[in-house]
Amino acid sequence: MQAEFATALLDAERQPPAGLLAADTTERFAVYRNNVVSGLIRALASGFPATEAIVGADFFAAMAAIYVRVSPPASPVLLDYGATLPEFLAGFEPVSELPYLADVARLELGYTRAFHAADAAPLPPGRLNDLTTHRIGALRVALHPSAQILRSAYPVAEIWAMNTGRAPLREIEDWAAQDILLLRPQHEVAAILLAPGEAEFLRHLQAGAALEQAATAALTEAGDFDLGAALAAMFTRGTVIAVTD
Amino acid sequence: MNAMLPHASLPPRAGTAFKPLHFAALQSGDVAPGFLEVHAENYMGDGGLPHAQLGKLRTDHALSLHGVGLSIGGAAALDRDHLQRLRRLCDRYQPHSFSEHLAWSSHDGAFLNDLLPLPYTEDTLRRVITHVEQTQTALGRRILLENPATYLQFAASTIPETEFLAEIAARTGCSLLLDVTNVLVACRNRGEDPHAYLARFPLQQVGEIHLAGHHTTEDRHGAALLIDDHGNRIAAETWQLYESLLARTGPLPTLVEWDNDVPDWNVLLTEAQAAQQLLDRAARNMKAA
């Protein structure tokens, strides 16, 4: 019974399952269908507000109604529902003229993950000065559990900020690629623009590389990578929670 | 039966659902609700603001943890990971009560995000009893099970809902969460008198009451179709049912729910104060009797 019921909930073309009693089983079954689909659309809209603002609420609801049928949540914890929405958007023909939309959704996914990530106390910026006494290149750092690095070919941080009321709407003059760090050292998630090479540096550190390896990777990618500035910024922002030899 | 499990209890006062947008107003307000209720699944992230807020609220308020995703009425085995997440929340926040629904919400790995109906038969009764027992064992506490809002019935059902719930409570030792709005919605939708339903309900097992707003529309045949949308003030008819119920039970912990189009804190608090007045009156009448 539940198999038939569940299948018909997500497929509007299907008849309601047999064995239901009501004056009009199709109409009554439609209440459940609507609850399921509209509830999941609301869950997506709350996790992807900028994506919704860019395409408009009606378009978002229609698009989300398709997504929820192909990718219903796999868990009753809806906090991170929509993990595959960016890939869905990247392949969704009606939004092909908004090539940055999938990256905006990636940023929003990262924001939600940072928001709910485990708590950890960042090391104070002063700890950076202690590091010079060690064999600095061999050190490894643990990044804050909320740290998410996003690389986009589009100015997604600005697009996101303008579409969530964090920045006024205006023409974007420099339509350039952006590397972004999402970080929540206390309770507020910050979207921080990274300098050239910094994303590569942080990604290597996050994967467990020593400082020297991470710096080499960053310099290989960006000749103007500034290790001193990157280290200082990392501590000032509260990105580091531990340093190990 | 899990006879040794401790019995959870909320204060017999009017509480409110907690929504994060009300955090500041709740912290600075002069009037505190009798208790707060949160949906367990909204606190299953690892950290951050939701846990910081709930931790602060828990020091000042009695807490009811309300699950909406365990699928106790599901045909499949209970989700062990989800039981563990619930256990961690109960251990961390020590809520006065944990409740779930007589409904299912997951099937074949997909979470359908709604409280779906089940036929009431000897088979489903056995299954729900097993699932309630497993939940109580996993959480180390008795739970409350809530009557559902339903929009249709099953030809296969052989047991009235009130009897089905009474049997689960008797066999598992769980308490019942009586949602008065759900009684009204389900009874009207199947053409039954809600007073008659309440007359049969095993009231001695009730550990909490829920009240919420609903939406009334008409189906294609001109019959009333009530939708449990939690997006409105509590209807006059719900208040009447609640009042006649309290006349029989005396004061019981009562929650005002509001999940959609959530209003300002004052509006929600006013609804809770209206419930509190009826609770106070019920307490006076019990004393006089």
Side-chain angles (χ1 to χ4, degrees):
Chain A
M1 183 286 295
Q2 289 185 359
E4 275 181 72
F5 204 103
T7 310
L9 280 173
L10 291 175
D11 184 351
E13 304 291 303
R14 264 178 203 258
Q15 291 292 312
L20 302 182
L21 293 181
D24 186 330
T25 52
T26 306
E27 188 173 20
R28 294 301 177 90
F29 190 76
V31 177
Y32 289 109
R33 236 177 214 156
N34 180 59
N35 282 351
V36 169
V37 174
S38 66
L40 291 176
I41 292 172
R42 269 202 304 279
L44 284 175
S46 74
F48 297 89
T51 308
E52 185 190 31
I54 290 167
V55 299
D58 290 346
F59 186 95
F60 185 88
M63 185 230 17
I66 298 170
Y67 177 77
V68 305
R69 290 187 170 98
V70 293
S71 302
S75 155
V77 186
L78 290 180
L79 300 178
D80 56 1
Y81 178 47
T84 57
L85 187 67
E87 286 69 44
F88 173 84
L89 291 172
F92 191 57
E93 205 278 325
V95 296
S96 58
E97 287 184 18
L98 304 172
Y100 52 84
L101 195 65
D103 278 357
V104 173
R106 279 188 191 100
L107 193 158
E108 299 200 285
L109 201 57
Y111 181 95
T112 302
R113 285 176 178 163
F115 186 79
H116 292 293
D119 300 316
L123 294 181
R127 280 295 301 277
L128 176 61
N129 302 328
D130 306 343
L131 298 188
T132 51
T133 60
H134 291 75
R135 284 175 49 239
I136 189 165
L139 295 179
R140 289 167 211 278
V141 301
L143 302 192
H144 193 277
S146 67
Q148 319 262 330
I149 297 139
L150 178 77
R151 313 195 70 176
S152 174
Y154 307 97
V156 281
E158 279 170 277
I159 298 170
W160 170 76
M162 285 186 213
N163 283 285
T164 51
R166 288 173 170 84
L169 281 172
R170 58 172 183 79
E171 199 75 20
I172 296 178
E173 282 162 24
D174 186 15
W175 193 263
Q178 284 183 341
D179 293 339
I180 298 145
L181 169 67
L182 293 159
L183 187 70
R184 198 209 78 221
Q186 272 80 39
H187 294 321
E188 295 272 312
V189 181
I192 299 156
L193 287 183
L194 297 174
E198 244 187 314
E200 197 63 5
F201 182 59
L202 290 172
R203 264 150 61 127
H204 276 78
L205 293 177
Q206 202 169 36
L211 276 178
E212 187 173 355
Q213 278 174 280
T216 306
L219 273 167
T220 307
E221 185 192 82
D224 54 348
F225 172 67
D226 183 338
L227 176 60
L231 279 172
M234 202 163 71
F235 278 86
T236 312
R237 292 167 185 151
T239 324
V240 183
I241 58 166
V243 178
T244 51
D245 283 312
Chain B
M1 198 216 271
N2 311 76
M4 302 308 289
L5 294 173
H7 211 89
S9 69
L10 290 161
R13 298 177 49 77
T16 63
F18 167 68
K19 301 293 167 195
L21 75 134
H22 294 150
F23 182 76
L26 187 55
Q27 289 283 94
S28 62
D30 308 327
V31 187
F35 63 95
L36 295 173
E37 184 164 292
V38 297
H39 288 181
E41 284 74 10
N42 290 341
Y43 294 87
M44 289 183 175
D46 291 330
L49 190 61
H51 286 290
Q53 287 188 339
L54 191 56
K56 272 196 192 125
L57 293 173
R58 181 65 189 85
T59 59
D60 299 333
H61 301 272
L63 179 68
S64 164
L65 197 60
H66 190 50
V68 294
L70 189 55
S71 202
I72 279 182
L78 291 179
D79 178 342
R80 299 211 159 270
D81 292 343
H82 201 60
L83 276 176
Q84 271 182 18
R85 289 190 284 263
L86 290 169
R87 173 73 200 223
R88 278 200 296 273
L89 274 181
C90 286
D91 287 350
R92 178 165 180 182
Y93 293 106
Q94 301 287 321
H96 294 65
S97 158
F98 173 77
S99 47
E100 252 290 353
H101 300 82
L102 177 60
W104 59 284
S105 51
S106 292
H107 181 76
D108 197 20
F111 173 64
L112 297 160
N113 194 35
D114 195 23
L115 299 162
L116 299 163
L118 62 153
Y120 300 138
T121 66
E122 294 297 335
D123 273 357
T124 58
L125 180 62
R126 269 193 298 276
R127 188 169 77 214
V128 172
I129 285 169
T130 305
H131 286 173
V132 169
E133 284 174 339
Q134 288 170 343
T135 305
Q136 295 191 136
T137 303
L139 301 186
R141 57 163 67 219
R142 294 179 201 237
I143 69 165
L144 280 72
L145 194 67
E146 178 176 343
N147 59 299
T150 53
Y151 306 102
L152 44 75
Q153 295 84 248
F154 294 90
S157 287
T158 53
I159 307 171
E161 186 172 282
T162 45
E163 211 177 287
F164 198 84
L165 284 162
E167 193 62 20
I168 296 165
R171 303 256 294 271
T172 67
C174 80
S175 295
L176 299 176
L177 195 173
L178 175 52
D179 187 315
V180 177
T181 306
N182 288 357
V183 170
L184 180 67
V185 166
C187 286
R188 285 275 179 266
N189 286 341
R190 62 177 176 248
E192 184 185 341
D193 175 10
H195 288 279
Y197 178 99
L198 286 178
R200 292 195 312 270
F201 202 90
L203 295 180
Q204 63 286 357
Q205 309 300 336
V206 174
E208 185 187 350
I209 291 177
H210 272 185
L211 302 171
H214 70 273
H215 173 69
T216 303
T217 175
E218 271 189 3
D219 69 16
R220 279 194 293 235
H221 309 276
L225 173 58
L226 275 60
I227 314 268
D228 173 44
D229 71 349
H230 294 192
N232 253 308
R233 284 178 188 272
I234 296 157
E237 208 177 354
T238 308
W239 283 122
Q240 285 159 13
L241 283 170
Y242 176 57
E243 200 171 0
S244 67
L245 177 71
L246 289 184
R248 293 166 57 204
T249 61
L252 284 169
T254 302
L255 179 85
V256 176
E257 295 181 287
W258 203 317
D259 294 313
N260 293 307
D261 299 324
V262 177
D264 285 349
W265 169 240
N266 281 336
V267 177
L268 187 55
L269 187 61
T270 304
E271 292 283 271
Q273 286 171 328
Q276 188 60 53
Q277 281 183 4
L278 295 179
L279 287 167
D280 291 344
R281 190 186 305 168
R284 282 195 303 273
N285 291 346
M286 295 299 270
K287 226 177 256 174

